Amino acid sequence: MVTTLDIISLVLIAVVVLVVIGVAAAAVGIYNRFFSLKNSAEATVGQVKVAMKKRLDMIEQLLGAVKSYAAFEKETLTGVTEMRARIGSAGPGDLNELERESRSVLGRLLAVAENYPDLKTSQTVQNLMGAVQGVEDEIARHRYTYNNIAQQYNTMTDTVPSNLIAGVMGFKKLEYLEFGEEIERVPTIAF
């Protein structure tokens, strides 16, 4: 015969089982959210790398257009080639440095173009300058997206209860793409 105590025990066991299942489901959901954000961040860093490679390709094309008008340093071309090679294995911190370097090269290249009036009117140079502006906008959009994803991920590592999962699983905060104020300004490329 089933007693009241047996019924209460079964109900308590059922409640405990449901609570354990609920906690486990929440933990799995939080864990999956971390990986969803991590994968989104990695994909966005990949897009930033592609855009930075496009920028370096355009810088090389501009160098080709400019060298017929001015003797431009050979080391600039070597530097651009070296930067392109480094982009593939770059993390967010490395991308910050590569961004600074490529902006510097672009700035020097634009200064050379400014000194040659015939170069300013070259359709090739004008087309490349327009393309560079498009890539600058693309890099800015991807950087914004990445930093928003990193902010969500980092907030999860700081707030309860997701910080418990982060601590147990060893999840570390994501680095932001901070390209520095002095180089956040888009280079002036209009003639």
Side-chain angles (χ1 to χ4, degrees):
M1 170 163 219
V2 177
T3 65
T4 306
L5 187 59
D6 290 339
I7 292 174
I8 292 173
S9 295
L10 287 175
V11 169
L12 286 176
I13 290 172
V15 168
V16 168
V17 167
L18 288 175
V19 167
V20 167
I21 289 173
V23 168
V28 167
I30 291 169
Y31 179 83
N32 288 341
R33 179 69 179 148
F34 270 115
F35 273 93
S36 174
L37 289 170
K38 179 181 171 283
N39 290 339
S40 294
E42 288 173 357
T44 305
V45 165
Q47 292 168 338
V48 169
K49 289 178 181 182
V50 167
M52 289 178 78
K53 282 182 182 181
K54 276 197 267 185
R55 177 200 286 155
L56 292 170
D57 288 343
M58 286 181 222
I59 289 172
E60 277 188 335
Q61 291 172 6
L62 280 168
L63 284 170
V66 168
K67 74 179 174 184
S68 63
Y69 291 90
F72 202 77
E73 304 135 14
K74 181 180 179 182
E75 64 196 48
T76 302
L77 181 58
T78 304
V80 168
T81 304
E82 189 264 343
M83 280 186 272
R84 183 183 298 111
R86 289 178 19 217
I87 285 177
S89 62
D94 301 323
L95 287 178
N96 291 332
E97 177 63 20
L98 284 166
E99 170 68 9
R100 185 192 61 72
E101 290 176 34
S102 66
R103 287 277 183 148
S104 173
V105 168
L106 186 57
R108 289 193 321 259
L109 181 60
L110 293 174
V112 168
E114 279 295 315
N115 291 327
Y116 292 86
D118 292 342
L119 186 59
K120 287 195 243 182
T121 61
S122 165
Q123 189 62 42
T124 301
V125 171
Q126 287 182 346
N127 291 344
L128 286 169
M129 292 298 191
V132 168
Q133 180 65 51
V135 171
E136 294 297 326
D137 293 342
E138 182 180 346
I139 290 171
R141 280 192 312 273
H142 292 314
R143 185 180 67 229
Y144 177 81
T145 300
Y146 173 84
N147 285 343
N148 282 335
I149 293 167
Q151 180 185 16
Q152 291 174 36
Y153 184 95
N154 293 344
T155 299
M156 285 183 67
T157 64
D158 290 337
T159 57
V160 176
S162 56
N163 66 340
L164 301 173
I165 303 293
V168 169
M169 299 307 295
F171 296 151
K172 303 292 181 212
K173 287 186 171 188
L174 295 177
E175 213 176 317
Y176 289 104
L177 289 177
E178 298 175 9
F179 290 165
E181 281 185 38
E182 71 278 1
I183 55 178
E184 280 185 358
R185 287 177 278 112
V186 176
T188 304
I189 58 174
F191 292 119

